[in-house]
Amino acid sequence: MFEYEEPLSGMLAEIRLSQMKVVERAVRPVQANIARKRKMRDELFAHLSAIYDEEFANHNDPVAAVNAAGQRFGNPTELAAELQGTVPRGERWEYQFESCFGWHAPETAVNWMSRVAVQLTLLMFCTCLLVAFIAL
């Protein structure tokens, strides 16, 4: 039923790690929600892995295959700009909202609640000023 797979060799693990780093450099700057970024990562990693497999079949040398796959994959900065263009406007707003009001990884719950409380207080203050200005 289940086939036993040998653990990844050191070289293969290093290759996959380098591929993940390339994909992450392309996806991280994109302003999109978490679900879209996860989908982008999965698709780009599958694409880069397929390129590597083709190059490895041609060269039969892992180092040459990694270099050739990296060249064929393209510049991560340019790829990030292309990916950003595919993100709908609503998801960009969602990303901005998450980055402003969402929890950030090293932040404690108390710090997050304090930050959000200050932000909401400022928002309420501005709203009250606007209502007072309109009333006058």
Side-chain angles (χ1 to χ4, degrees):
M1 234 156 88
F2 293 104
E3 260 183 62
Y4 174 74
E5 292 184 21
E6 292 185 29
L8 291 176
S9 68
M11 179 65 116
L12 184 58
E14 289 177 24
I15 290 168
R16 295 299 182 213
L17 182 61
S18 69
Q19 290 173 342
M20 284 188 255
K21 286 179 181 180
V22 170
V23 168
E24 190 60 27
R25 280 195 301 260
V27 174
R28 185 171 293 251
V30 176
Q31 295 181 352
N33 62 20
I34 294 168
R36 180 166 300 265
K37 280 188 169 187
R38 185 175 297 124
K39 184 178 177 183
M40 286 177 182
R41 280 184 188 100
D42 291 344
E43 290 174 357
L44 288 175
F45 185 74
H47 182 67
L48 185 57
S49 295
I51 293 172
Y52 169 79
D53 292 341
E54 288 176 15
E55 292 296 333
F56 185 73
N58 292 338
H59 295 79
N60 208 16
D61 177 25
V63 176
V66 166
N67 293 335
Q71 288 177 351
R72 281 182 52 190
F73 188 69
N75 184 351
T77 306
E78 293 172 3
L79 189 55
E82 290 177 24
L83 290 171
Q84 185 64 52
T86 65
V87 178
R89 187 180 311 251
E91 287 187 20
R92 289 184 207 160
W93 281 100
E94 183 180 341
Y95 172 82
Q96 294 298 329
F97 184 81
E98 284 178 4
S99 67
C100 185
F101 293 105
W103 176 75
H104 303 121
E107 192 173 39
T108 65
V110 173
N111 287 345
W112 173 72
M113 288 187 297
S114 300
R115 183 172 52 83
V116 171
V118 168
Q119 291 169 336
L120 291 176
T121 301
L122 289 172
L123 182 66
M124 291 298 291
F125 179 74
C126 292
T127 304
C128 290
L129 281 178
L130 181 65
V131 169
F133 180 73
I134 292 172
L136 294 175

